[in-house]
Every structure is written in C-alpha cells, then in structure tokens.
C-alpha cells in the first residue's frame, strides 16, 4: 500500500529531499510552518508591508520576477484565504498580469527588512479583475489605496499555502530619504540602461 502524497510541496522538491536525505527535516517544516490559509499573525504582517516580490510564469513556463510597492496594506487581506493587490499605471507591459491570464499560479514574497527581519511566502491561484468587477465581488475593497492613483486592474489571489522565510540571512536596511526625480544625483529611469537590446524586435522587452 502506497502512502498518500505529502500535503505541501512539489514532486520535484520531494524527490530531491529523498536524494539528499532532508525528507524528515522538510516534513517537520511542512508540519510546523506551512499553512493552507493565512493565520491572524500572517494577515497582520501583510497589512503592515509596503512591498512584495512576485513570481509568475506564462503558459510555456517562461518565468518573470517583479516587484510591487505602495502604502502599508496596499496588498489587501480580504479574508484568510484571499488577497488582492492593485495594478497601477506603469510602463504598460503588464508582464505579471499577462502571465497570470495564461498561467494563474502566483508566488508572493513579503520581506520585512527593517524590524522583525522575517519573510512570508504566499502561493496560490490568481485571477485578474477590472476594478469595478472586483468591487462588485468584494464591496469592502479599499477605495483609496494610494492617494492620487487609481488602479486599472486588481489581482486576486486564492491562497493555497503560506509559510515563513527564515530571518537568518535577511539583511537589515535603514529607511532613508527617497531621492526625487529632480535630484541631480538620480538619473532618470531610461538613463540607467541606454544600450539597445539587439533582440528587442523579437522579444518586445528590450526598450523602455
């Protein structure tokens, strides 16, 4: 009789755990740290965060890592199973949201670099909604996430697993004055990378 598959983790990670002899240690981590929904402490942590890192992939498995920031709580906790974050006007590429329309799996990593030096992984299935559509589904959605900025769309995540990111190697960062676009020491965004990408015509991502 075969044993049931572990409740968390991919087949690939379980295979490597067996090969490298870490299966027992990993099993303790799954049992003690991984949750299928957001605990009250996790929900409170997310509500205090002003940034999040995103991991998406398209239908071919081509990956993209991205970053979102806003006022603390801009990633809105709807309930223990659901998060939503706004997509504001940017460069118009919509790489992450576009990937989600092809492949709804989304990984989110919240990291506190200044106080508790801990991170939180939240993985699940995401869907893209127009602002009016999501407000119809969730009337309690905040109306003024970022003053002066209105989201075009929202990404709503149904949580499948959430777990801690070890604080051991998270660096400590001190909040500092943010340079403005008028500061002479700060080049404009396009000036950071001025060489054209010879493949830009094929990929569409080589120019700003």
């Amino acid at each position: 009789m075969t044993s049931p598959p572990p409740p968390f983790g991919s087949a690939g990670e379980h295979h490597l755990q067996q090969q490298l002899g870490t299966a027992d240690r990993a099993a303790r981590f799954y049992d003690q740290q991984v949750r299928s929904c957001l605990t009250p402490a996790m929900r409170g942590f997310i509500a205090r965060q002003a940034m999040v890192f995103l991991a998406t992939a398209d239908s071919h498995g081509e990956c993209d890592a991205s970053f979102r920031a806003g006022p603390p709580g801009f990633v809105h906790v709807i309930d223990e199973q659901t998060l939503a974050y706004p997509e504001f006007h940017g460069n118009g590429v919509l790489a992450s949201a576009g990937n989600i329309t092809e492949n709804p799996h989304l990984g989110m990593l919240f990291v506190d670099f200044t106080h508790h030096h801990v991170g939180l992984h939240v993985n699940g299935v995401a869907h893209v909604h127009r602002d009016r559509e999501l407000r119809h589904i969730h009337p309690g959605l905040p109306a003024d996430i970022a003053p002066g900025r209105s989201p075009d769309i929202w990404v709503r995540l149904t949580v499948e697993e959430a777990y801690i990111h070890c604080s051991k190697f998270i660096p400590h960062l001190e909040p500092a004055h943010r340079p403005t676009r008028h500061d002479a020491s700060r080049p404009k965004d396009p000036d950071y990378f001025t060489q054209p990408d010879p493949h830009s015509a094929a990929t569409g991502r080589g120019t700003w």
Side-chain angles (χ1 to χ4, degrees), residues 179-204:
T180 69
R181 64 180 62 190
H182 303 295
D183 289 341
S185 61
R186 182 188 188 279
K188 295 181 179 179
D189 289 350
D191 295 335
Y192 280 98
F193 308 104
T194 57
Q195 296 299 315
D197 183 346
H199 303 293
S200 62
T203 65

Side-chain angles (χ1 to χ4, degrees), residues 144-196:
D144 194 21
I145 288 286
R149 303 178 68 192
S150 299
D152 293 326
I153 58 177
W154 289 77
V155 174
R156 178 172 62 94
L157 178 75
T158 300
V159 177
E160 293 184 331
E161 61 179 17
Y163 56 94
I164 192 172
H165 185 96
C166 178
S167 63
K168 186 175 182 179
F169 296 111
I170 293 177
H172 177 72
L173 302 181
E174 291 286 349
H177 167 70
R178 176 185 173 88
T180 69
R181 64 180 62 190
H182 303 295
D183 289 341
S185 61
R186 182 188 188 279
K188 295 181 179 179
D189 289 350
D191 295 335
Y192 280 98
F193 308 104
T194 57
Q195 296 299 315

Side-chain angles (χ1 to χ4, degrees), residues 2-154:
T2 59
S3 59
F8 297 110
S10 68
E13 65 189 72
H14 293 302
H15 178 68
L16 282 178
Q17 291 161 12
Q18 293 293 334
Q19 285 190 325
L20 299 177
T22 66
D24 290 342
R25 183 152 45 99
R28 288 193 297 273
F29 178 82
Y30 294 139
D31 181 61
Q32 297 172 10
Q33 301 289 350
V34 185
R35 298 293 178 263
S36 59
C37 63
L38 300 171
T39 67
M42 290 174 177
R43 300 198 294 272
F45 180 81
I46 292 170
R48 296 189 298 271
Q49 302 312 303
M51 69 179 77
V52 64
F53 300 92
L54 307 177
T56 62
D58 65 16
S59 59
H60 301 289
E62 299 287 344
C63 298
D64 189 84
S66 194
F67 170 81
R68 296 291 182 276
F74 81 100
V75 176
H76 181 59
V77 180
I78 295 175
D79 56 42
E80 66 177 11
Q81 210 74 53
T82 317
L83 297 177
Y85 67 86
E87 289 279 17
F88 298 110
H89 292 287
N91 58 15
V93 175
L94 298 170
S96 298
N99 283 347
I100 290 168
T101 65
E102 297 185 40
N103 175 355
H105 298 286
L106 170 64
M108 306 178 75
L109 175 60
F110 300 87
V111 184
D112 178 350
F113 292 101
T114 60
H115 294 92
H116 299 289
H117 306 100
V118 69
L120 176 66
H121 295 260
V122 183
N123 301 324
V125 175
H127 293 89
V128 177
H129 299 270
R130 299 303 293 262
D131 182 75
R132 181 180 299 180
E133 176 191 7
L134 190 59
R135 291 185 188 283
H136 179 73
I137 300 171
H138 298 290
L141 208 63
D144 194 21
I145 288 286
R149 303 178 68 192
S150 299
D152 293 326
I153 58 177
W154 289 77

